[in-house]
Amino acid sequence: MSSDQTMTIEECMEKVSSYLNEEHTELVRHAYEFAEQAHHNQIRKSGEPYIIHPIQVVGILADLKMDPATLAAGFLHDVVEDTDITLAQIEEEFGQEIAMLVDGVTKLGKIKYKSHQEQQAENHRKMFVAMAKDMRVIIIKFSDRLHNMRTLKHLPEEKQRRIANETLEIFAPLAHRLGISKIKWELEDTALRYLNPQQYYRIVNLMKRKRAEREEYIQEVINEVQKRVDEVSIKAEITGRPKHIYSIYRKMVLQNKQFNEIYDLLAVRIIVNSIKDCYAVLGIIHTCWKPMPGRFKDYIAMPKQNLYQSLHTTVIGPKGDPLEVQIRTFEMHQIAEYGIAAHWAYKEGKKFNTPDQFEKKLTWFREILEFQNESSNAEEFMASLKVDLFSDMVYVFTPKGDVIELPAGSVPIDFAYRIHSEIGNKTIGAKVNNKMVPLDYRLKTGDIIEILTSKHSYGPSRDWIKLAQTSQAKNKIKQFFKRQLKEENVNKGRELVEKEIRNMEFDIKEVMTSENLKRVADKFNFANEEDMFAAVGYNGITAAQIANRLTEKLRKKKDMDETLLFKDISELKPVNHPKRRDAGVRVKGIDNLLIRLSKCCSPIPGDEIVGYITKGRGVSVHRTDCPNVKGDDVKDRLIPVEWEGYASTNKEYNVDLEINGYDRRGLLNEVLQAIAETKTNITQVTGKTDRNKIVTIHLSISIQNVAHLKKVVDRIKQIHDIYTVRRVMN
């Protein structure tokens, strides 16, 4: 995985064929040829042909000994994003598994975002959700990011800093969380080089100055340890541990230390054959040199969540300086270097699934899927995820001695929900180290926690959402209240919809058929009718909207049935009705007719209109573009009508608008404020966001005429992230 030189396709395929069989090697080569054709004539910022990048990515994946599907996806990972090739074509050519991996790595490029930060948050959300389904997605993404970091010098300085910062905030901590230290260290060191070049090169120079002295000291330690392990016939591989610039920088900054005060500048790693030998070597080390108090960690007995295992100890070395020692088996070393990637390493004949042991350890990652469904936007999702994945961890114990890993700052509530959601819901108190503690007690590594529960508990308090630190606990508490209130909201919503239908003078049984309810629920993107009624119950949508949709076909049929079966306008007799003039419309050539404005298209002064002769209700006025007055079967019932002095009237008419845009924080408030600026009354407002973060807002407003409506619409269109504003019909 050297970054010094560019790998050729021949060198890359030689790596691949060194561990894949002929059939799998051919699949990977086919993916290369497909990608090479797709990226033909494309050039990177460095001036190199674009295909050089996928070759380097696959070279890194081959170093990790990844399976054929992952290598093929490595060649294809930018094809959908940067060429005309579609995901469907990838699936047709290479199958569903490879297409799924490519889709997981592909960024979201079709939606416009307010800021780069919002777009990146959405891209990260998409990536994390794809990872939760198949962890190979992130291994490809790590390889992609690693090569991009190696070639960052070809980009403008501002972009270098932005990408380096994102690498340090997202990708390096995630590589650490997944145990892939070989990639983590290079990402961190390279990022530091662009974010703080002065400190980076200062540390490099300091390390060079002391290198000879340090190497001599380490060799003396290695010789002494080798001599002692040989005496007890233990086979061991002893090396100086690599020094990573970023870890030295962090200790200098966070712990306010000088370069010569950093312990792990002097470090050795001892790799042996068995766990028994690990502890035997630990005894030898502690016999040779005095251990420093509080500096011993046993990650073999208590592995990290990413399965990292090793013994860590710091001793006072031969020259009186602190010396850090790591002791592990060869298998532990493989996992320490490659983490999750080690579990996906190719073995001929093996099915490419993560082992059960590793799958259990990654339950925290599956919860990403749950939380992303609950979070209202990608930035909130990423903020919560950073707490869970990227913060420092504490290791606490159950009363039975099981180790639970939680983010630093976690409280007993987080612990309870990590054990089981029912334990969390029934929690009434907590004991830490056999002493009662409040539920906001901050857990520390080594604490033994006992959760006190009661079957008579009424469930969590809403205040717990603020106390909990992990997204898992917050999500489970929210789910509890959502389930608790759903039945109540369903019943309330159903009653409100039925009331609206009765007010419209329709039969409940005729309207609320299962087929009709399903049609309307689908129309509003609800999973089922219960969710639809629940939304009405908690004011997510109005009962009037649902009732209008449920009755739309019956209303249209009713209007058609009331049509007079005559063609001659002379058969219409004038009537003396007090509401004749309320509509502000008159029939040309005839006075004293009953006239009403149709609710299906809600015409307003200034609209082009036409009269429609109905039975018993006079003339119904429609907009000329209304579907109900189109077609040969109705044209003989249409009569000319006109507005009366609408420019000076103060009468207000109801207009329904549908607004589409990108759902960001504060968008609805801006829309309402814009309408208020036009001195327009809002009678009803609802909104809903789809999976692509596209929001649809339905508004009912009081309008005087077309000029007034145009003023409102023009003002709304000026708002950033609004895509369309249209007038809708019921």
Side-chain angles (χ1 to χ4, degrees):
M1 294 171 67
S2 170
S3 59
D4 296 336
Q5 52 187 339
T6 301
M7 189 185 305
T8 65
I9 183 58
E10 289 76 19
E11 291 168 334
C12 177
M13 290 309 300
E14 189 178 337
K15 274 190 183 187
V16 170
S17 60
S18 69
Y19 70 93
L20 290 190
N21 64 32
E22 191 175 332
E23 179 189 351
H24 290 153
T25 302
E26 194 53 43
L27 169 67
V28 177
R29 183 172 288 281
H30 176 44
Y32 160 72
E33 291 167 353
F34 189 94
E36 200 274 337
Q37 183 63 37
H39 290 299
H40 186 61
N41 290 334
Q42 288 185 336
I43 303 294
R44 279 173 67 83
K45 296 286 185 185
S46 61
E48 298 174 318
Y50 196 95
I51 193 64
I52 294 293
H53 171 62
I55 292 171
Q56 309 316 301
V57 169
V58 174
I60 295 168
L61 292 170
D63 283 333
L64 297 171
K65 300 231 174 345
M66 295 307 296
D67 63 274
T70 308
L71 297 175
F75 274 126
L76 301 167
H77 77 276
D78 276 338
V79 165
V80 174
E81 187 179 332
D82 293 334
T83 76
D84 294 331
I85 301 294
T86 65
L87 198 64
Q89 289 174 280
I90 297 284
E91 184 171 347
E92 184 180 349
E93 189 73 20
F94 295 96
Q96 187 176 6
E97 181 184 15
I98 292 173
M100 179 272 296
L101 293 174
V102 172
D103 184 42
V105 184
T106 301
K107 294 202 251 335
L108 303 169
K110 305 300 181 188
I111 302 172
K112 291 183 179 179
Y113 298 89
K114 180 181 179 183
S115 66
H116 181 80
Q117 286 77 11
E118 283 185 25
Q119 182 169 14
Q120 283 303 83
E122 281 291 353
N123 286 331
H124 290 145
R125 187 216 285 254
K126 180 176 187 281
M127 180 184 73
F128 279 112
V129 172
M131 284 163 56
K133 294 175 183 172
D134 194 313
M135 298 300 286
R136 288 174 292 178
V137 168
I138 195 56
I139 299 172
I140 299 169
K141 193 65 187 176
F142 280 148
S143 304
D144 171 56
R145 177 52 60 112
L146 187 56
H147 182 247
N148 283 335
M149 290 300 291
R150 289 173 179 175
T151 56
L152 209 54
K153 62 185 177 184
H154 301 291
L155 297 180
E157 186 178 342
E158 183 276 329
K159 203 166 186 180
Q160 288 176 349
R161 293 182 64 82
R162 177 167 54 76
I163 293 172
N165 193 58
E166 180 188 52
T167 299
L168 216 48
E169 277 194 356
I170 303 292
F171 291 97
L174 186 58
H176 172 69
R177 196 75 169 84
L178 297 175
I180 313 177
S181 61
K182 202 165 183 67
I183 287 177
K184 174 209 171 190
W185 291 120
E186 188 177 345
L187 288 176
E188 287 182 336
D189 286 356
T190 314
L192 180 63
R193 179 177 153 196
Y194 290 98
L195 289 173
N196 197 336
Q198 186 177 357
Q199 285 284 22
Y200 175 86
Y201 288 110
R202 175 174 170 254
I203 294 170
V204 168
N205 290 330
L206 286 168
M207 288 176 71
K208 280 180 181 175
R209 258 185 256 161
K210 299 267 187 180
R211 178 173 292 169
E213 180 187 329
R214 214 168 45 244
E215 287 177 352
E216 182 185 340
Y217 180 84
I218 291 295
Q219 194 56 52
E220 183 182 335
V221 172
I222 290 173
N223 292 340
E224 180 64 25
V225 175
Q226 192 69 62
K227 176 185 168 186
R228 295 297 187 98
V229 296
D230 286 345
E231 287 173 1
V232 292
S233 301
I234 293 176
K235 290 184 179 178
E237 185 180 290
I238 309 167
T239 58
R241 191 165 72 81
K243 315 301 179 297
H244 299 290
I245 298 165
Y246 183 73
S247 67
I248 295 169
Y249 166 76
R250 271 191 58 125
K251 288 179 181 178
M252 290 173 69
V253 172
L254 298 180
Q255 299 174 21
N256 198 24
K257 291 186 175 182
Q258 294 302 312
F259 181 79
N260 56 7
E261 295 178 294
I262 306 296
Y263 290 163
D264 61 359
L265 284 173
L266 302 171
V268 294
R269 179 177 291 145
I270 304 168
I271 304 176
V272 295
N273 289 324
S274 67
I275 293 175
K276 179 182 74 174
D277 288 346
C278 288
Y279 289 100
V281 170
L282 178 67
I284 291 170
I285 296 296
H286 285 179
T287 303
C288 289
W289 301 290
K290 187 176 181 179
M292 292 181 66
R295 299 284 299 170
F296 170 66
K297 292 176 183 174
D298 187 345
Y299 292 120
I300 293 178
M302 196 169 70
K304 292 185 179 182
Q305 193 79 357
N306 58 23
L307 296 188
Y308 175 88
Q309 288 183 290
S310 190
L311 296 176
H312 291 195
T313 187
T314 302
V315 297
I316 303 299
K319 295 183 180 178
D321 293 321
L323 170 72
E324 187 182 85
V325 181
Q326 292 180 353
I327 309 165
R328 60 178 70 145
T329 66
F330 286 97
E331 185 181 353
M332 290 173 192
H333 182 63
Q334 187 74 4
I335 292 171
E337 290 289 290
Y338 300 113
I340 186 175
H343 297 272
W344 282 100
Y346 172 87
K347 291 177 186 173
E348 196 169 338
K350 169 189 167 186
K351 190 176 180 183
F352 309 119
N353 286 321
T354 28
D356 290 343
Q357 181 192 19
F358 202 82
E359 189 73 24
K360 287 174 186 174
K361 291 287 183 181
L362 286 172
T363 52
W364 54 270
F365 214 87
R366 305 302 176 211
E367 285 150 13
I368 290 172
L369 280 175
E370 288 183 33
F371 182 64
Q372 75 94 19
N373 287 329
E374 294 294 321
S375 57
S376 59
N377 61 62
E379 289 167 313
E380 177 196 345
F381 170 74
M382 287 306 301
S384 298
L385 200 64
K386 284 178 184 179
V387 173
D388 280 8
L389 299 188
F390 309 146
S391 61
D392 292 332
M393 309 304 289
V394 293
Y395 298 87
V396 294
F397 295 90
T398 67
K400 291 183 179 179
D402 295 328
V403 182
I404 303 294
E405 185 184 43
L406 292 165
S410 292
V411 298
I413 294 167
D414 297 298
F415 176 87
Y417 280 101
R418 179 61 57 88
I419 300 299
H420 197 281
S421 57
E422 277 307 300
I423 291 176
N425 290 340
K426 297 293 182 184
T427 296
I428 57 170
K431 283 184 178 180
V432 173
N433 304 325
N434 268 334
K435 292 182 181 178
M436 288 296 295
V437 296
L439 291 179
D440 62 355
Y441 169 86
R442 302 283 169 165
L443 301 177
K444 303 180 189 69
T445 294
D447 282 343
I448 300 171
I449 301 149
E450 180 184 354
I451 298 296
L452 307 177
T453 61
S454 169
K455 62 181 178 181
H456 302 299
S457 166
Y458 289 106
S461 160
R462 289 189 183 273
D463 293 337
W464 289 10
I465 296 173
K466 295 177 184 176
L467 290 180
Q469 298 299 303
T470 61
S471 58
Q472 178 197 15
K474 290 176 186 286
N475 191 32
K476 296 292 184 187
I477 296 165
K478 288 176 184 175
Q479 283 179 356
F480 174 86
F481 287 109
K482 195 172 179 182
R483 280 196 305 271
Q484 187 183 53
L485 295 172
K486 184 172 181 181
E487 188 175 340
E488 182 183 329
N489 283 327
V490 168
N491 293 334
K492 181 181 174 185
R494 187 184 291 271
E495 288 174 10
L496 290 171
V497 171
E498 288 180 354
K499 183 180 177 182
E500 283 287 336
I501 293 170
R502 287 193 193 95
N503 290 341
M504 294 177 175
E505 299 179 355
F506 287 106
D507 180 15
I508 297 292
K509 290 181 180 178
E510 187 181 6
V511 174
M512 294 181 66
T513 63
S514 57
E515 183 183 344
N516 201 22
L517 289 170
K518 184 179 184 307
R519 177 183 65 82
V520 175
D522 289 343
K523 188 84 174 175
F524 285 99
N525 295 319
F526 291 110
N528 50 52
E529 64 182 78
E530 277 200 353
D531 285 355
M532 179 175 73
F533 287 131
V536 175
Y538 61 72
N539 297 321
I541 193 169
T542 66
Q545 283 179 281
I546 301 299
N548 280 335
R549 285 294 184 189
L550 287 169
T551 60
E552 59 186 346
K553 290 183 179 178
L554 290 172
R555 282 187 285 116
K556 187 172 181 181
K557 182 175 182 293
K558 189 175 182 181
D559 274 351
M560 290 300 293
D561 289 345
E562 289 176 346
T563 301
L564 284 175
L565 300 177
F566 56 78
K567 298 180 182 179
D568 193 344
I569 185 67
S570 63
E571 293 184 39
L572 265 178
K573 294 182 179 180
V575 295
N576 187 16
H577 198 286
K579 292 186 179 180
R580 178 190 67 79
R581 296 282 181 182
D582 283 357
V585 176
R586 72 182 183 88
V587 178
K588 291 182 180 178
I590 301 179
D591 203 7
N592 295 327
L593 280 180
L594 176 62
I595 298 173
R596 66 183 181 89
L597 299 179
S598 171
K599 290 183 180 179
C600 61
C601 57
S602 301
I604 61 173
D607 281 332
E608 291 187 12
I609 52 176
V610 66
Y612 181 78
I613 304 167
T614 65
K615 182 179 179 181
R617 291 190 291 170
V619 176
S620 175
V621 177
H622 294 257
R623 281 160 41 193
T624 54
D625 60 349
C626 178
N628 290 334
V629 292
K630 298 286 186 184
D632 293 337
D633 56 335
V634 297
K635 67 180 181 181
D636 292 331
R637 282 90 180 176
L638 301 181
I639 57 173
V641 293
E642 62 186 6
W643 296 103
E644 290 186 303
Y646 72 83
S648 59
T649 183
N650 290 322
K651 182 176 173 61
E652 292 189 332
Y653 300 81
N654 190 66
V655 170
D656 293 325
L657 294 180
E658 182 181 279
I659 303 166
N660 287 292
Y662 172 66
D663 185 22
R664 58 171 169 81
R665 188 172 293 144
L667 181 68
L668 180 58
N669 284 339
E670 288 185 35
V671 171
L672 299 180
Q673 180 63 34
I675 295 172
E677 288 172 10
T678 64
K679 298 180 180 178
T680 303
N681 290 327
I682 301 171
T683 57
Q684 186 175 295
V685 58
T686 60
K688 189 169 182 65
T689 304
D690 67 15
R691 292 178 182 175
N692 295 319
K693 304 295 289 179
I694 301 299
V695 66
T696 301
I697 301 170
H698 288 102
L699 285 167
S700 291
I701 55 178
S702 299
I703 292 294
Q704 292 179 1
N705 51 47
V706 168
H708 183 187
L709 177 62
K710 184 177 186 305
K711 182 181 177 183
V712 174
V713 170
D714 288 346
R715 180 63 188 87
I716 296 172
K717 284 182 175 179
Q718 292 172 15
I719 300 171
H720 188 62
D721 288 330
I722 292 296
Y723 301 152
T724 60
V725 182
R726 70 184 188 94
R727 191 170 162 191
V728 294
M729 302 185 190
N730 290 323

